[in-house]
Amino acid sequence: MPSDPNIGKREREVLTAIVETFISTGEPVGSRTLSRSNREGLSPATIRNVMADLTDSGFLEQTHTSSGRIPTPEAYRYYVEQISGTAKLAPQEESMISDSLAGISDVQEFMERTSHVLSLISRNVGVTVASSGTKNALEHVYFSRLGDQKVLAVLVTRSGLVRDRVLRLDLPQAELDLAARYINENFRGWTMESMRAELGRRIEQERSEYDRLMNSIEQLYKQGALASEAGSQVVFIEGAANLITGQEDRKRLQELLKTLEEKEKVAQLLGAYLDVKQEAVRVVIGLDDALPSMQNFVLIGAPAHSGGDMVGSLAVIGPTRMDYQHTMTAVSYIARLFDKILNESE
């Protein structure tokens, strides 16, 4: 949201104080509470007038006539604009993150550890999605006949990840070697999705020209020899239990936890809000446009790049009353570290 032209310096300071106080305490904020901590020495009466104006502008709401105010989603959006890029992680937190992620050369391992680190630092839910990219593109495949009706398929990606599976097939070793050679010569460096799509096309178009070879490849293809472990995206979620502490709306939480269990929906959620061209951390307040169960929750996330290629995304999901500044800084730091660590490992 662009900065509201009606918000002056005094209104901005009061609104910021209310948001930060409510994040800290979880209790509606009154004018007397603010007057005790106000640096400019504003009286409770003056603060009440400012709070009334902010309420009229849609930045604050009052649960009861006699109670204090709480921030609206618009207040959080305004607050996030004011704090963007103003904080740094404590040195011990930077060290903890670096130590946790050191020595990793594989995208999926990085994402798995990152989801755990984000949940620890934010005390909310850490979510990462590893997508196929050049780092997870094909390096080579190898097929070996194990015996009657059994073939070992080994797939190695450019990141060094090795996937193997045993297929129920009865093909001689000579045909397996021919199929592996064809795939390695034609598809090294291709992402898994692109390779499978092109193979499907060639199986249909080139069957007559390479009938025997394509028949062998078709059998391997249909048995899943070239499939990734869990489709094109692997989702890691850590810290769902953090959402239970201090939350009163258990029904809403149950719906949210059910959504988090459906990892495909989580991948879609991050895909809906995080752009491949995005350079900074994005904060989305209210996720119900993508998932109705995510109303009153926040996503703070960033894409993960390696050498200019987007290979995943990382985010924290939590309630609107969360430590925005700290979480935004952590997400930004890890997103930058991602590219650095993976490129150094090559």
Side-chain angles (χ1 to χ4, degrees), residues 52-82:
D53 291 340
L54 290 170
T55 302
D56 291 340
S57 300
F59 290 100
L60 300 177
E61 59 186 5
Q62 196 171 19
T63 53
H64 301 288
T65 307
S66 59
S67 69
R69 306 300 207 278
I70 62 174
T72 65
E74 291 300 311
Y76 287 117
R77 293 186 184 102
Y78 184 84
Y79 173 73
V80 165
E81 279 196 353
Q82 307 310 306

Side-chain angles (χ1 to χ4, degrees), residues 101-110 113 135-136 157-161 341-346:
L101 302 178
I104 297 176
S105 60
D106 174 64
V107 171
Q108 292 194 21
E109 185 183 0
F110 190 104
R113 289 202 207 172
K135 281 284 193 176
N136 275 334
T157 69
R158 291 210 157 170
S159 67
L161 182 67
I341 288 178
L342 288 184
N343 283 324
E344 283 180 351
S345 68
E346 293 184 334

Side-chain angles (χ1 to χ4, degrees), residues 111 127-131 232-235 262-278 282 284 287 289-291 294 299-304 310-317:
M111 291 301 194
V127 179
T128 55
V129 177
S131 305
S232 62
Q233 295 181 314
V234 181
V235 181
E262 299 178 47
K263 293 189 174 182
E264 185 178 339
K265 286 187 177 180
V266 176
Q268 291 172 354
L269 181 70
L270 267 63
Y273 291 119
L274 301 182
D275 193 317
V276 64
K277 297 178 181 179
Q278 179 183 331
R282 185 174 184 193
V284 184
L287 307 174
D289 284 346
L291 290 173
M294 291 290 191
L299 181 147
I300 299 178
M310 182 176 175
V311 293
S313 49
L314 53 109
V316 168
I317 295 175

